[in-house]
Amino acid sequence: MDKLVKIGILLDFYGKLLSEKQYQIMELYYLNDFSLSEIGEELRISRQSVFDTIKRSEEKLYSFENELGLVDKFYSSQDTIRDIRKIAAEIYEIGKNGANKEIMDKAIGIEERISKILI
């Protein structure tokens, strides 16, 4: 996965666990595409300080994911829900072929609930 995307996802999940300053710098760098110099000027700190903060913050974000695994769990859950959606479609077809309205209604109910979960 592209580093920019990976860090963006990690920021979504763990960004608020960083200090306010770390989060602000990461947001400016990764989400707003500011250069190190621009961030330094904006926050009145050296370019080197910005660079060091980004590196430390990245390490923290990766560490949070290694310890908690929330991103992996999220994607795994999404995959499982998609599998359930496939099974619901198969159940619907079985109900349709057997002209069993109750089975078809249950399959539709599953699909509706899945649609609320998946974005």
Side-chain angles (χ1 to χ4, degrees):
M1 188 180 308
D2 180 46
K3 182 179 179 181
L4 178 65
V5 173
K6 180 73 172 174
I7 294 292
I9 292 167
L10 292 173
L11 276 172
D12 284 344
F13 277 83
Y14 305 112
K16 296 302 178 179
L17 297 176
L18 299 173
S19 73
E20 188 175 321
K21 184 79 132 194
Q22 287 173 324
Y23 182 78
Q24 185 179 20
I25 290 171
M26 295 296 282
E27 184 177 43
L28 289 171
Y29 187 73
Y30 281 105
L31 305 181
N32 297 327
D33 201 28
F34 278 40
S35 70
L36 299 178
S37 298
E38 290 171 325
I39 295 169
E41 288 174 26
E42 179 83 16
L43 302 178
R44 300 175 197 254
I45 57 177
S46 71
R47 183 183 179 286
Q48 184 63 46
S49 179
V50 172
F51 178 80
D52 292 343
T53 301
I54 289 170
K55 290 301 163 201
R56 278 193 312 271
S57 299
E58 287 174 356
E59 289 172 9
K60 277 187 167 185
L61 292 172
Y62 284 117
S63 174
F64 292 146
E65 177 58 16
N66 286 337
E67 290 293 318
L68 302 171
L70 297 179
V71 174
D72 286 340
K73 288 176 189 171
F74 173 78
Y75 284 114
S76 175
S77 295
Q78 296 289 301
D79 291 342
T80 301
I81 292 168
R82 285 186 190 90
D83 290 344
I84 293 169
R85 174 178 265 168
K86 251 173 83 174
I87 294 167
E90 292 168 5
I91 291 170
Y92 179 85
E93 288 301 315
I94 291 168
K96 187 169 125 182
N97 292 337
N100 189 326
K101 181 165 174 23
E102 185 178 357
I103 289 176
M104 292 169 60
D105 289 344
K106 294 289 184 185
I108 290 170
I110 292 169
E111 172 60 33
E112 288 170 351
R113 286 168 180 83
I114 289 171
S115 293
K116 290 179 184 178
I117 296 170
L118 291 178
I119 299 170

